[in-house]
Amino acid sequence: TAFVGDPDCTFGADGTAYFSALPLHYESAAEPEMLVYRSADGGNTWAAPTVLPFIDREYLTIDRTQGPRRGRIYLHGNAIADPTVDGDQRIVFTLFRSNDGAATFGYPSRLISDGDHMPFGTGNGAILSDGTYVLSFFEWNDRKNLAAALESDKAAGTIKLVRSTDGGDHFDKADVVSEWHECVGWTPGLPFLAVDASQGPFKDRLYMTWPDRRSGRCE
């Protein structure tokens, strides 16, 4: 393929490396897809990829805890709802999961926002010490009036955090972390999570960063 987008890489509890990317077939009629590679020798060689349906801004997260889902691979991103909702296209959060080292992935789970809200872009995921899977995303306040949101000094939406305590079978209602004022003109960026995986006093503390223009400039 001539173009590749959105690469991501992480390591499993046993040292296996996992790499995902999106082949972008701009110059052909081929269907969009997503590839997941794995390497058991530190990246020197890679197995043939597992091919999955396309999702945008995909992120890999692996459970490295000592819990019952140790080794589970989560792969999430954005997709267009199919069939369309309310007669128009809507972006939905989409999650694939693997329990066999990315050899196979189950049927994807999808979460649709309430009302006229709509996810704009997901950030990475994180795993807490008890195996809770968490991830963040930007969400538009009004998916039907995006241009007005960008031209206004008001918040375009919110940053939310969603969690699952059962390995992605079910998700709690998302919590609002902050208002979100999109950086306009070059790149909106995406939220990014980190979790304190140590045994220290801040164990399981979550940290989140994102670009924001509420001060009048993107910072």
Side-chain angles (χ1 to χ4, degrees), residues 85-102:
V85 180
D86 299 335
D88 62 353
Q89 291 187 332
R90 182 184 291 194
I91 297 173
V92 297
F93 164 79
T94 303
L95 170 68
F96 292 90
R97 293 171 292 171
S98 174
N99 293 318
D100 58 8

Side-chain angles (χ1 to χ4, degrees), residues 94-166:
T94 303
L95 170 68
F96 292 90
R97 293 171 292 171
S98 174
N99 293 318
D100 58 8
T104 61
F105 286 81
Y107 190 80
S109 301
R110 291 182 171 181
L111 299 178
I112 299 178
S113 295
D114 297 331
D116 287 330
H117 295 178
M118 183 177 72
F120 173 67
T122 54
N124 66 311
I127 305 290
L128 304 184
S129 61
D130 64 356
T132 297
Y133 169 54
V134 297
L135 60 99
S136 61
F137 58 94
F138 289 145
E139 185 178 75
W140 294 106
N141 284 336
D142 185 356
R143 64 186 172 87
K144 297 179 179 179
N145 196 16
L146 302 183
L150 296 180
E151 296 170 358
S152 171
D153 291 333
K154 297 180 180 179
T158 57
I159 297 173
K160 290 188 172 181
L161 185 81
V162 67
R163 63 178 60 79
S164 173
T165 59
D166 59 6

Side-chain angles (χ1 to χ4, degrees), residues 58-86:
E58 91 291 355
Y59 287 97
L60 291 161
T61 311
I62 299 182
D63 189 331
R64 304 186 189 92
T65 70
Q66 298 300 319
R69 290 180 292 274
R70 178 179 173 84
R72 174 169 291 185
I73 301 172
Y74 302 87
L75 180 56
H76 72 263
N78 304 313
I80 301 297
D82 184 20
T84 56
V85 180
D86 299 335

Side-chain angles (χ1 to χ4, degrees), residues 8 59 123-125 136 190-194 207-211:
D8 193 32
Y59 287 97
N124 66 311
S136 61
L190 290 170
F192 200 89
L193 277 175
Y207 301 84
M208 186 188 297
T209 66
W210 69 91

Side-chain angles (χ1 to χ4, degrees), residues 33-71:
E33 60 189 6
M34 177 170 55
L35 304 180
V36 182
Y37 298 83
R38 53 182 172 168
S39 171
D41 58 6
N44 290 312
T45 60
W46 295 81
T50 301
V51 181
L52 295 170
F54 178 91
I55 58 175
D56 199 17
R57 306 296 189 203
E58 91 291 355
Y59 287 97
L60 291 161
T61 311
I62 299 182
D63 189 331
R64 304 186 189 92
T65 70
Q66 298 300 319
R69 290 180 292 274
R70 178 179 173 84

